[in-house]
Amino acid sequence: MNCIVIDDEEMARAIIGQMIEKNPQLTLSESFSNAMQAIKFLNQQDVDLIFLDIHMPDFTGFDFIQTIKNPPKVVLVTSDKNFAIEAFEYECIVDYLVKPITEDRFLKAVQKASAASAAPTAVTKVPTEDNANEFYINIDRRLIKIEFAAVNVVEAKGDYIHIKTEGKNYVVHSTLKKIEDKLPKDLFLKVHRSFIINTKKIIDIEDNSVLIGKDVIPVSRANRPELMNRLNLL
């Protein structure tokens, strides 16, 4: 996996760089002392993994993730334990390392990133005009057709995805990110690290949650602005 390091501390960049060099799975493409430099690099180069510090001058790690389009897998590296819950609201974040980092803990993070990148998908979208309104899921070697309009909520639970429709619920082995990529963007929105919703099925919104059918779905702080932008408010 090609990777980059973003950290304003020179010593931290050097330590992570040494760990990367020792790992045969990783190739260090570049190191950056600030997020803006990294954004320019990513506009020209593709990487598989980013080791990212949270606390940086003027531009935090979370700001960075929200700025780049289709971010690769991210391992957060920080001396602050207090952002672990917020960190995993972001689908791209696969692990959270607290400084000082041990080699064993670093290796576990790399293994998580590798597994996340290689995770298979059980959802197939056929991009033809006849099938523009539907997709198929693979359950027990059978391909089951589901119309996009029938889906209420997609929920991640561990290594499985629960697809809740108007008439039936389905469970497939996949990741939320891979399913998100196959859903039409004008109809579906990720509102939480574990939930994608059909915005046409929203009954009401209260505080940091939405009601769809009988399900109350949490809306994360990071995804709430986009949800509000989608609504036709009077």
Side-chain angles (χ1 to χ4, degrees), residues 113-129:
S114 179
S117 298
T121 181
V123 176
T124 302
K125 178 181 176 183
V126 184
T128 66
E129 185 176 352

Side-chain angles (χ1 to χ4, degrees), residues 5-224:
V5 178
I6 309 173
D7 197 310
D8 61 320
E9 297 180 3
E10 183 177 357
M11 182 62 69
R13 295 197 305 274
I15 292 173
I16 297 172
Q18 290 174 0
M19 291 184 177
I20 290 172
E21 291 178 356
K22 292 180 181 179
N23 193 304
Q25 289 183 269
L26 302 178
T27 300
L28 180 61
S29 297
E30 192 60 81
S31 292
F32 302 97
S33 60
N34 67 74
M36 297 307 297
Q37 293 175 348
I39 290 172
K40 293 178 181 178
F41 179 84
L42 291 173
N43 286 335
Q44 300 177 346
Q45 302 289 333
D46 291 328
V47 301
D48 304 305
L49 180 61
I50 300 175
F51 293 92
L52 175 66
D53 187 21
I54 293 178
H55 294 293
M56 293 181 289
D58 302 324
F59 210 73
T60 70
F62 294 131
D63 292 334
F64 170 81
I65 292 173
Q66 294 180 52
T67 299
I68 60 176
K69 188 175 182 180
N70 299 321
K73 301 304 178 186
V74 174
V75 173
L76 288 182
V77 183
T78 179
S79 56
D80 194 336
K81 299 179 181 179
N82 296 325
F83 289 94
I85 294 177
E86 181 178 357
F88 288 101
E89 291 183 357
Y90 298 87
E91 181 72 21
C92 62
I93 296 176
V94 296
D95 208 349
Y96 188 97
L97 298 181
V98 179
K99 302 174 183 178
I101 306 166
T102 65
E103 291 195 6
D104 287 344
R105 187 64 185 86
F106 179 84
L107 179 59
K108 288 181 180 180
V110 173
Q111 291 172 341
K112 286 183 179 181
S114 179
S117 298
T121 181
V123 176
T124 302
K125 178 181 176 183
V126 184
T128 66
E129 185 176 352
D130 291 339
N131 294 305
N133 299 317
E134 61 199 34
F135 65 102
Y136 291 81
I137 57 174
N138 189 342
I139 297 181
D140 296 330
R141 299 182 180 179
R142 292 189 303 131
L143 289 177
I144 299 175
K145 181 175 73 173
I146 301 176
E147 293 185 357
F148 288 124
V151 177
N152 290 347
V153 178
V154 180
E155 179 182 2
K157 290 187 176 181
D159 294 329
Y160 292 87
I161 298 299
H162 292 234
I163 301 173
K164 300 181 180 181
T165 71
E166 294 174 347
K168 191 175 181 179
N169 297 337
Y170 303 90
V171 179
V172 296
H173 186 272
S174 187
T175 66
L176 200 65
K177 172 60 176 174
K178 291 193 174 182
I179 289 184
E180 181 184 14
D181 290 341
K182 297 179 183 295
L183 296 174
K185 303 294 189 258
D186 60 333
L187 191 61
F188 292 90
L189 177 66
K190 181 182 174 185
V191 295
H192 184 273
R193 67 184 177 90
S194 299
F195 292 94
I196 296 172
I197 65 170
N198 183 336
T199 56
K200 302 299 183 183
K201 299 299 183 69
I202 296 174
I203 297 174
D204 65 41
I205 302 174
E206 183 175 354
D207 296 328
N208 294 318
S209 65
V210 298
L211 178 64
I212 297 180
K214 296 181 180 180
D215 294 315
V216 178
I217 310 300
V219 178
S220 71
R221 184 177 65 183
N223 293 292
R224 182 177 173 80

